[in-house]
Short mmCIF file of all heavy atoms in Angstrom, two decimals:
data_model
loop_
_atom_site.label_atom_id
_atom_site.label_comp_id
_atom_site.label_asym_id
_atom_site.label_seq_id
_atom_site.Cartn_x
_atom_site.Cartn_y
_atom_site.Cartn_z
N GLY A 1444 14.19 14.98 34.88
CA GLY A 1444 14.62 14.08 35.76
C GLY A 1444 13.62 12.82 35.76
O GLY A 1444 12.97 12.54 34.78
N GLU A 1445 13.59 12.19 36.84
CA GLU A 1445 12.65 11.10 36.93
C GLU A 1445 11.27 11.54 37.32
O GLU A 1445 11.10 12.42 38.15
CB GLU A 1445 13.02 10.18 38.14
CG GLU A 1445 14.38 9.45 37.91
CD GLU A 1445 14.41 8.59 36.64
OE1 GLU A 1445 13.45 7.84 36.52
OE2 GLU A 1445 15.40 8.56 35.90
N VAL A 1446 10.18 11.05 36.65
CA VAL A 1446 8.82 11.42 36.82
C VAL A 1446 8.42 11.00 38.21
O VAL A 1446 8.49 9.86 38.62
CB VAL A 1446 7.91 10.84 35.83
CG1 VAL A 1446 6.48 11.15 36.16
CG2 VAL A 1446 8.27 11.31 34.36
N SER A 1447 7.90 11.95 39.07
CA SER A 1447 7.28 11.67 40.42
C SER A 1447 5.92 11.73 40.54
O SER A 1447 5.28 11.11 41.35
CB SER A 1447 8.07 12.51 41.38
OG SER A 1447 7.78 13.93 41.11
N ALA A 1448 5.20 12.56 39.67
CA ALA A 1448 3.72 12.72 39.73
C ALA A 1448 3.23 13.16 38.41
O ALA A 1448 3.93 13.94 37.61
CB ALA A 1448 3.40 13.72 40.86
N ILE A 1449 2.03 12.81 38.11
CA ILE A 1449 1.21 13.26 36.90
C ILE A 1449 -0.08 13.79 37.46
O ILE A 1449 -0.83 13.03 38.29
CB ILE A 1449 1.08 12.27 35.88
CG1 ILE A 1449 2.46 11.77 35.29
CG2 ILE A 1449 0.12 12.82 34.75
CD1 ILE A 1449 2.35 10.68 34.28
N TYR A 1450 -0.58 14.95 37.01
CA TYR A 1450 -1.87 15.37 37.32
C TYR A 1450 -2.70 15.66 36.05
O TYR A 1450 -2.06 16.36 35.08
CB TYR A 1450 -1.74 16.76 38.05
CG TYR A 1450 -0.84 16.70 39.36
CD1 TYR A 1450 0.51 16.94 39.15
CD2 TYR A 1450 -1.54 16.46 40.53
CE1 TYR A 1450 1.28 16.92 40.35
CE2 TYR A 1450 -0.56 16.42 41.75
CZ TYR A 1450 0.69 16.62 41.59
OH TYR A 1450 1.44 16.61 42.74
N ALA A 1451 -3.77 15.15 35.96
CA ALA A 1451 -4.57 15.48 34.80
C ALA A 1451 -6.14 15.46 35.17
O ALA A 1451 -6.60 14.67 35.98
CB ALA A 1451 -4.37 14.53 33.68
N ASP A 1452 -6.95 16.43 34.53
CA ASP A 1452 -8.24 16.48 34.81
C ASP A 1452 -9.15 16.66 33.52
O ASP A 1452 -8.61 17.36 32.50
CB ASP A 1452 -8.64 17.65 35.70
CG ASP A 1452 -8.44 18.94 34.96
OD1 ASP A 1452 -7.28 19.48 35.09
OD2 ASP A 1452 -9.33 19.56 34.43
N PHE A 1453 -10.29 16.13 33.38
CA PHE A 1453 -11.09 16.29 32.23
C PHE A 1453 -12.55 16.01 32.74
O PHE A 1453 -13.09 14.87 32.82
CB PHE A 1453 -10.79 15.19 31.24
CG PHE A 1453 -11.43 15.59 29.84
CD1 PHE A 1453 -11.02 14.72 28.65
CD2 PHE A 1453 -12.25 16.55 29.58
CE1 PHE A 1453 -11.51 14.92 27.40
CE2 PHE A 1453 -12.73 16.83 28.32
CZ PHE A 1453 -12.40 16.09 27.26
N SER A 1454 -13.17 17.12 33.16
CA SER A 1454 -14.53 17.09 33.62
C SER A 1454 -15.48 18.11 32.83
O SER A 1454 -14.86 19.17 32.56
CB SER A 1454 -14.65 17.38 35.07
OG SER A 1454 -15.97 17.38 35.57
N ILE A 1455 -16.64 17.68 32.45
CA ILE A 1455 -17.46 18.60 31.76
C ILE A 1455 -18.74 18.72 32.56
O ILE A 1455 -19.04 18.04 33.48
CB ILE A 1455 -17.78 18.19 30.33
CG1 ILE A 1455 -18.33 16.73 30.25
CG2 ILE A 1455 -16.42 18.23 29.52
CD1 ILE A 1455 -18.54 16.19 28.93
N ALA A 1456 -19.78 19.57 31.99
CA ALA A 1456 -20.99 19.70 32.69
C ALA A 1456 -22.22 19.59 31.69
O ALA A 1456 -22.93 20.72 31.50
CB ALA A 1456 -21.00 21.08 33.42
N PRO A 1457 -22.38 18.46 31.09
CA PRO A 1457 -23.46 18.44 30.22
C PRO A 1457 -24.83 18.41 30.84
O PRO A 1457 -24.91 17.99 32.00
CB PRO A 1457 -23.23 17.08 29.47
CG PRO A 1457 -22.58 16.28 30.46
CD PRO A 1457 -21.67 17.26 31.25
N PRO A 1458 -25.86 18.96 30.32
CA PRO A 1458 -27.24 18.91 30.98
C PRO A 1458 -27.56 17.50 31.20
O PRO A 1458 -27.28 16.55 30.44
CB PRO A 1458 -28.15 19.50 29.90
CG PRO A 1458 -27.23 20.24 28.93
CD PRO A 1458 -25.90 19.53 28.92
N TYR A 1459 -28.25 17.30 32.43
CA TYR A 1459 -28.62 15.90 32.72
C TYR A 1459 -29.88 15.48 31.81
O TYR A 1459 -30.85 16.10 31.82
CB TYR A 1459 -29.02 15.87 34.16
CG TYR A 1459 -29.44 14.35 34.52
CD1 TYR A 1459 -28.61 13.33 34.58
CD2 TYR A 1459 -30.87 14.18 34.91
CE1 TYR A 1459 -28.98 12.14 34.92
CE2 TYR A 1459 -31.28 12.95 35.22
CZ TYR A 1459 -30.34 11.90 35.15
OH TYR A 1459 -30.78 10.70 35.56
N ASP A 1460 -29.57 14.37 31.15
CA ASP A 1460 -30.71 13.80 30.36
C ASP A 1460 -30.47 12.32 30.36
O ASP A 1460 -29.61 11.78 29.71
CB ASP A 1460 -30.56 14.38 28.82
CG ASP A 1460 -31.57 13.69 27.99
OD1 ASP A 1460 -32.38 12.81 28.45
OD2 ASP A 1460 -31.55 13.97 26.69
N PRO A 1461 -31.29 11.52 31.14
CA PRO A 1461 -31.01 10.11 31.21
C PRO A 1461 -31.12 9.33 29.97
O PRO A 1461 -30.57 8.18 29.91
CB PRO A 1461 -32.22 9.73 32.20
CG PRO A 1461 -33.27 10.80 32.15
CD PRO A 1461 -32.50 12.05 31.84
N ALA A 1462 -31.69 9.99 28.85
CA ALA A 1462 -31.67 9.23 27.61
C ALA A 1462 -30.38 9.45 26.76
O ALA A 1462 -30.05 8.76 25.83
CB ALA A 1462 -32.90 9.69 26.83
#
Side-chain angles (χ1 to χ4, degrees):
E1445 297 297 319
V1446 175
S1447 58
I1449 297 175
Y1450 306 87
D1452 70 272
F1453 196 171
S1454 178
I1455 59 177
Y1459 178 68
D1460 177 359

